[in-house]
Amino acid sequence: MSKPNRFYFSAGFLSFMFLFLVQTGFSQTIPTHQQPNIVLLMADDMGFECLSIHGSLSYETPFLDELARKNIHFLQAHSQPLCTPSRVKIMTGRYNYRNYKAFGYLDVNEKTFGNYLQEAGYASCVVGKWQLNRYKQGTPDAQYVNRPHHFGFDEYCVWNFIGKGGRYANPLLYQNGEKLETTEEDYGPDIVSEYAVKFMEQNKDQPFFLYYPMILTHGPFVPTPDSEEWADPKTRQKRDKRFFADMMAYTDKIVKKLADKLDELGIRDNTIFMFTSDNGTHYSLTTQTTSGPFPGGKGTMPDAGNHVPMIVSWPNGGQEGVIYKELIEFSDFLPTILEAAGIPRPSYIDGESFYPILNGTSHQSRETIFVHYDPLRRGGNKRYYGRFVRNKDYKLYNDGRFYHVREDKWETQPLSAHDLTAEQLRLKIAFQLELDQAPPHHFKQSHEYNK
């Protein structure tokens, strides 16, 4: 008997076993490809107009521009109009009317992408802005300290966690159950991004998930370590809208820092590296663009409030220089991440996977997106509440306002029901049917939206 015969017998046996597993459905529980690392970065209060590749003349984002040009550049990604609603939606893949209970809180009964990936064997970590512990109902602080673990993260280094404190100079940060001791020399975004780098270093030999809801570029608008004013303690916390440009540049720098670390570790090819933002730019800021001045729309329901940048890099997916012009919404991230990891899609989520876009396979693009927005907060910008369904051209609100948003991006001229074309009427009826699928919800009266 020769050794080659024994080899072929083993290979045939293994082939038989593989076919048996596929036919019995067992293969649905294990990936048919190597599980990729997943890094998801989400800037805070950065609208679509802020990137120079999108026409910004006010800020410079050289690395993000390069990342967009060389990889997959999404032109129609839509978040929720405000931070917590977006975080709840992106982490669970579900619409806000299902699970949004209060501002600054994620229902402990929800399951996040951290939970799913942790169960699938991923090392998991969250760094940056947490903002999900606030809704206190007699809950001991110990439970808050463990809340990231509850939602599927092995490790964390986060701001906006327990107590009130700054996010930039001398930040109030918690790391794996311990409050960090910081000084005026310490910069919050540097501390959390360094923790992210160390997490990737320590887990480079196994699949990992890094979720980085960024601290930048949310107000207060203050100097960064690259600003001249940082050198003087007297001006380090000076507030001025002009520092937003420095904060944009520092965000770009941090994104590059993480991407460069993936290159250094030799794991960039099999890492899905995603960048987006949680909502539009703060409404006190106006960005100068190649198309003219663009006022920020954070907290509002027109595009300025929810149209956000989105870039994905995954060399192993084989997609380079792709511009994707179809619709994406925040509920789509979770099913995409699960499909990438080989995890079956739960039946109770609302999103649609865009994973086929990442590897160039056949994909049915979204025809519409759905946004339910009732921030349930005191103070702040209360001009907009409600629901809408839209495609790339038209948008229908729950109170009947219907806009041609391609021509009227500021939504100043609602279309009259008496002047609709046959196609516009067809779309309005279809959008209304989609709105009607959601359970009733009490919003402010429409005349209160535009005060």
Side-chain angles (χ1 to χ4, degrees), residues 28 34 38 45 70 73 77 79 84 103 110 136 172 184 194 198 200 209 212 225 249 315 331 364 368 399 425 427 435:
Q28 294 177 2
Q34 181 183 357
I38 300 167
D45 292 4
K70 292 184 176 180
H73 186 192
S79 64
T84 304
F103 185 78
E110 290 297 318
K136 284 200 172 185
L172 175 59
E184 287 292 331
E194 277 301 310
K198 291 177 182 177
M200 294 191 296
F209 174 47
Y212 185 0
S331 66
Q364 180 65 46
T368 62
D399 63 359
L425 180 59
L427 286 172
L435 284 170

Side-chain angles (χ1 to χ4, degrees), residues 77-373:
H78 292 265
S79 64
Q80 295 291 105
L82 201 64
C83 43
T84 304
S86 286
R87 293 161 203 279
V88 169
K89 190 174 187 180
I90 200 171
M91 293 177 73
T92 66
R94 283 153 53 83
Y95 294 145
N96 277 182
Y97 71 79
R98 298 192 194 279
N99 60 8
Y100 183 75
K101 306 297 184 183
F103 185 78
Y105 175 70
L106 175 58
D107 188 346
V108 294
N109 296 307
E110 290 297 318
K111 191 170 183 178
T112 77
F113 41 36
N115 295 119
Y116 290 108
L117 291 173
Q118 187 183 62
E119 291 170 2
Y122 274 70
S124 57
C125 178
V126 57
V127 302
K129 178 180 175 180
W130 182 245
Q131 198 192 50
L132 299 172
N133 279 3
R134 285 187 181 175
Y135 194 48
K136 284 200 172 185
Q137 291 183 320
T139 302
D141 281 347
Q143 292 189 30
Y144 283 95
V145 167
N146 292 317
R147 191 59 56 79
H149 301 315
H150 173 81
F151 286 121
F153 297 101
D154 302 322
E155 304 178 39
Y156 66 85
C157 181
V158 293
W159 173 80
N160 203 331
F161 192 62
I162 297 175
K164 294 182 178 181
R167 67 174 79 196
Y168 295 123
N170 192 21
L172 175 59
L173 302 174
Y174 277 80
Q175 180 175 298
N176 301 326
E178 300 293 333
K179 178 183 174 183
L180 295 183
E181 296 298 325
T182 61
T183 71
E184 287 292 331
E185 300 294 325
D186 295 312
Y187 187 61
D190 281 345
I191 294 174
V192 300
S193 61
E194 277 301 310
Y195 194 91
V197 165
K198 291 177 182 177
F199 171 78
M200 294 191 296
E201 290 174 341
Q202 294 168 355
N203 293 281
K204 63 183 177 64
D205 296 324
Q206 64 174 313
F208 65 77
F209 174 47
L210 172 64
Y211 175 43
Y212 185 0
M214 304 182 78
I215 293 173
L216 289 159
T217 56
H218 195 289
F221 307 124
V222 292
T224 75
D226 289 345
S227 307
E228 291 183 8
E229 291 81 357
W230 182 267
D232 186 348
K234 295 179 181 178
T235 57
R236 189 171 294 154
Q237 303 239 29
K238 181 179 179 180
R239 299 189 179 198
D240 194 306
K241 288 187 288 187
R242 66 185 174 88
F243 291 123
F244 186 75
D246 292 358
M247 296 165 77
M248 282 292 303
Y250 214 86
T251 301
D252 192 72
K253 178 180 178 178
I254 288 178
V255 177
K256 183 177 187 301
K257 172 183 176 179
L258 267 65
D260 287 349
K261 175 53 66 171
L262 292 171
D263 283 328
E264 178 187 322
L265 296 174
I267 57 175
R268 178 76 176 272
D269 285 355
N270 198 39
T271 298
I272 298 177
F273 188 84
M274 299 186 279
F275 174 85
T276 188
S277 175
D278 65 349
N279 50 249
T281 313
H282 195 272
Y283 43 83
S284 68
L285 298 168
T286 296
T287 301
Q288 301 303 318
T289 76
T290 52
S291 301
F294 195 104
K298 173 182 176 176
T300 68
M301 296 192 75
D303 268 13
N306 58 78
H307 186 202
V308 292
M310 179 177 168
I311 306 163
V312 179
S313 166
W314 184 33
N316 278 1
Q319 303 306 295
E320 299 179 0
V322 174
I323 298 177
Y324 188 75
K325 299 180 180 180
E326 305 305 316
L327 293 165
I328 297 289
E329 66 163 51
F330 261 31
S331 66
D332 298 337
F333 278 83
L334 183 140
T336 302
I337 288 170
L338 298 193
E339 185 172 359
I343 302 170
R345 180 189 187 280
S347 60
Y348 50 80
I349 64 172
D350 297 300
E352 300 178 12
S353 172
F354 55 83
Y355 178 72
I357 301 168
L358 309 188
N359 63 8
T361 54
S362 178
H363 174 68
Q364 180 65 46
S365 61
R366 270 187 171 275
E367 293 185 5
T368 62
I369 62 172
F370 173 89
V371 168
H372 168 100
Y373 175 56

Side-chain angles (χ1 to χ4, degrees), residues 16 88 212 390 415:
F16 168 78
V88 169
Y212 185 0
R390 64 163 292 176
L415 299 176

